[in-house]
């Protein structure tokens, strides 16, 4: 999951402002849309708060929005108008780095791939299944039909957790 240069630049500017609000930066989406772009920031409770079952609140989102708005005013990294959204990553969270997936081994994930995997008629660019393991170069996934895949991390375009109600 390669981040664009713009998202990398925005992350370096925004991360300290988010940390100042006592929450963690989960990820950033930036979608340039002509004269009006969209900047979406996902925040997560800190690990010690997660251990106490504390969730991201509306107040956390408002504080981050206020803090980040001020930082963006000063640095002005986005030309033209933009909409700023701040939210929790939610139950079906997108993964913005390979490292984020390590905590979700044993759970169901959905992947969109850069290059198709499989043979013949079974070639696919999407894969959904249980994340069995992940290391520094690849992950292993078992689909609902039992088919197993080893997928290079460099072949993943987008990855999401699939929420399953227990």
């Amino acid at each position: 999951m390669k981040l664009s240069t713009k998202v990398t630049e925005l992350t370096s500017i925004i991360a300290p402002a988010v940390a100042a609000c006592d929450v963690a930066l989960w990820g950033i989406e930036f979608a340039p849309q002509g004269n009006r772009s969209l900047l979406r920031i996902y925040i997560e409770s800190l690990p010690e708060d997660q251990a106490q079952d504390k969730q991201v609140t509306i107040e956390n989102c408002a504080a981050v929005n206020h803090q980040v708005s001020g930082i963006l005013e000063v640095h002005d990294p986005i030309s033209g108008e933009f909409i700023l959204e701040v939210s929790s990553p939610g139950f079906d969270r997108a993964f913005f780095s390979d490292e984020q997936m390590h905590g979700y081994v044993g759970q169901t994930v959905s992947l969109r791939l850069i290059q198709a995997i499989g043979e013949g008629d079974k070639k696919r660019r999407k894969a959904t299944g249980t994340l069995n393991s992940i290391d520094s170069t690849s992950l292993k996934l078992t689909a609902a039909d039992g088919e197993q895949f080893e997928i290079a991390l460099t072949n993943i375009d987008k990855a999401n957790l699939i929420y399953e109600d227990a």
Side-chain angles (χ1 to χ4, degrees), residues 22-118:
D22 292 326
V23 291
L25 179 63
W26 181 261
I28 294 175
E29 290 178 351
F30 178 68
Q33 300 170 345
N35 293 341
R36 186 172 224 157
S37 300
L38 173 65
L39 175 60
R40 186 173 293 130
I41 301 171
Y42 295 99
I43 59 173
E44 180 76 318
S45 56
L46 297 172
E48 59 269 16
D49 291 337
Q50 291 172 4
Q52 299 170 10
D53 288 333
K54 290 185 181 176
Q55 302 296 316
V56 170
T57 65
I58 298 249
E59 290 78 16
N60 295 134
C61 293
V64 169
N65 189 307
H66 179 73
Q67 190 84 351
V68 168
S69 292
I71 294 295
L72 293 176
E73 280 284 319
V74 171
H75 290 276
D76 198 23
I78 301 171
S79 60
E81 294 180 24
F82 64 92
I83 297 169
L84 174 61
E85 293 180 3
V86 179
S87 75
S88 145
F91 290 123
D92 58 348
R93 62 191 55 220
F95 294 110
F96 293 90
S97 71
D98 308 332
E99 294 81 25
Q100 290 175 330
M101 287 193 278
H102 286 269
Y104 295 90
V105 170
Q107 297 189 41
T108 304
V109 295
S110 174
L111 308 174
R112 185 174 68 202
L113 306 174
I114 297 167
Q115 295 181 337
I117 58 169

